[in-house]
Amino acid sequence: MSATRRARVRAVAKINLDLRVLARRPDGYHELRTILQTISLADTLEIAFTPGRKTIIALEDELTIPDNLVVRAARRAMEAMGAAGRVEMRLTKRIPMGAGLGGGSSDAAAVLLALPVLAGRIVSLRKLSEVAGELGSDVPFFLLGGRAVGIGRGTELFPLPDGPRARGVLVAPGVHVSTAEAYRALSPRLTTESPQNKIFSFQSHTWDRSVGEAAANDFEAVVFARHRRLAAVKKRLLRAGARPALMTGSGSAIFGLFGTGDEVSQAMELLGASGPHGEEAAFRISLVSRPRYRSLWWRALQEHITGRVWPPQSRHVR
Ligand code: C5P
């Protein structure tokens, strides 16, 4: 019998329901206030672990993304576990890249959650969070899922209750925005509004269970100035009745939330009727609550886990 253990997991995307950038910090990162939310759009990661003397990490992905974060995540997970062996991964991408949807970060977090379970090791949530934060500012959120407030670099997370069921439309306009460049463009403008005002308006928003019209993303001004088409996408979503319609992360994807499935269908039709837009793609999305996020994980790993505990715990621990 082969000692190889396998799993196939879904790595879901995120949107920022609100995103305020306060100021550049001495470490070069920017101080954030954001609300993160997992959504139904997902990549698929197939991952296999075979114990061995040497660690070999292999990744198959159709797009051959250079320096893929999942490879680094696997290496860091192996180090954290003190384990050795072969890790084979295959990634099927559906989440658009450079779109502010955290696809690469979610893929990396998926490796951190799945690999210890397959290898029969226990890694504390604390250690996982630390490794996740080193891999990227958006990675730790995917160890939590659902809805959360992110502060600091975005890696300090506090769970929020799930909002009312909401569905939406996500438009990926086919524009790749570099996160580092978007921060560089935004940084000189950060002195115009007092950080205190931003904190108060952000805070009042987090107290509201629904995602109100007060939602804002500070990157919109600088990213829309460079890519005018994005402002038009937001306008079309608002006209279709989305509340809010907002860019996610540093762009370029724009989402619109709606109360009912019928409204989403209407919006999809309206978007389709507005003519072809090159590589623009529109997706129907739903918000993924924390219980649902965890269920997805437990189900995907069910033959390898014990109980329904978070993070998933391996039944192969000796
Ligand atoms: O952490 P991550 O690798 O995702 O960050 C990418 C880039 O985005 C950083 O190098 C930094 O320039 C910028 N960034 C920032 N402030 C944050 C998060 C990211 O300036 N809170």
Side-chain angles (χ1 to χ4, degrees):
M1 205 180 86
S2 152
T4 304
R5 297 193 186 117
R6 304 167 187 284
R8 179 197 202 117
V9 301
R10 291 215 288 157
V12 308
K14 61 85 178 162
I15 52 177
N16 297 85
L17 296 174
D18 200 312
L19 174 54
R20 322 266 173 149
V21 184
L22 301 184
R24 193 160 179 275
R25 316 190 317 183
D27 65 2
Y29 285 92
H30 289 77
E31 182 67 26
L32 301 184
R33 294 293 180 275
T34 187
I35 303 177
L36 296 141
Q37 169 74 55
T38 39
I39 61 169
S40 50
L41 180 66
D43 293 339
T44 303
L45 175 76
E46 288 161 84
I47 179 164
F49 174 76
T50 316
R53 288 239 194 100
K54 257 180 69 183
T55 291
I56 299 165
I57 295 164
L59 169 69
E60 228 184 276
D61 79 304
E62 293 147 359
L63 307 171
T64 50
I65 303 157
D67 191 26
N68 198 309
L69 202 56
V70 296
V71 173
R72 277 171 53 206
R75 192 158 297 285
R76 293 304 316 275
M78 294 296 281
E79 285 164 8
M81 296 186 289
R86 193 209 302 267
V87 180
E88 288 158 295
M89 298 180 285
R90 189 195 289 164
L91 195 55
T92 309
K93 293 291 297 177
R94 252 170 251 106
I95 306 172
M97 291 183 285
L101 295 164
S105 303
S106 184
D107 298 340
V111 172
L112 297 184
L113 288 172
L115 206 44
V117 168
L118 298 178
R121 304 292 176 113
I122 294 167
V123 183
S124 68
L125 187 57
R126 197 198 144 139
K127 181 67 189 171
L128 285 177
S129 302
E130 187 188 316
V131 171
E134 285 163 13
L135 290 168
S137 303
D138 281 339
V139 182
F141 168 65
F142 292 101
L143 301 177
L144 180 64
R147 184 177 296 188
V149 167
I151 72 168
R153 258 175 75 199
T155 57
E156 252 177 85
L157 296 159
F158 300 91
L160 281 178
D162 293 300
R165 232 172 109 85
R167 310 158 174 285
V169 174
L170 179 79
V171 180
V175 175
H176 190 291
V177 176
S178 146
T179 302
E181 266 173 44
Y183 274 104
R184 269 198 296 278
L186 179 59
S187 218
R189 296 188 180 207
L190 291 173
T191 43
T192 52
E193 192 186 345
S194 119
Q196 216 49 41
N197 287 345
K198 281 192 191 183
I199 288 171
F200 285 134
S201 75
F202 174 78
Q203 175 182 266
S204 63
H205 189 196
T206 65
W207 288 15
D208 195 352
R209 247 170 60 85
S210 64
V211 184
E213 307 199 6
N217 179 335
D218 282 347
F219 281 108
E220 282 188 348
V222 287
V223 177
F224 287 3
R226 200 167 293 182
H227 306 281
R228 305 224 171 261
R229 202 148 63 73
L230 303 187
V233 171
K234 172 165 169 149
K235 227 180 247 164
R236 273 193 279 148
L237 282 168
L238 284 172
R239 224 179 288 136
R243 291 296 178 277
L246 207 64
M247 191 174 79
T248 174
S250 54
S252 63
I254 318 251
F255 64 88
L257 297 184
F258 298 86
T260 69
D262 283 349
E263 287 175 278
V264 171
S265 303
Q266 273 173 18
M268 289 291 282
E269 256 172 54
L270 271 172
L271 290 170
S274 59
H277 286 272
E279 55 278 49
E280 182 172 304
F283 304 87
R284 294 178 80 108
I285 55 164
S286 59
L287 306 187
V288 173
S289 68
R290 193 165 304 109
R292 187 158 155 236
Y293 187 72
R294 294 184 175 184
S295 280
L296 282 170
W297 270 100
W298 288 324
R299 211 177 313 143
L301 295 176
Q302 66 187 351
E303 61 182 293
H304 301 292
I305 57 168
T306 164
R308 282 164 84 87
V309 282
W310 194 262
Q313 294 298 306
S314 180
R315 70 159 64 154
H316 307 301
V317 180
R318 274 175 293 155

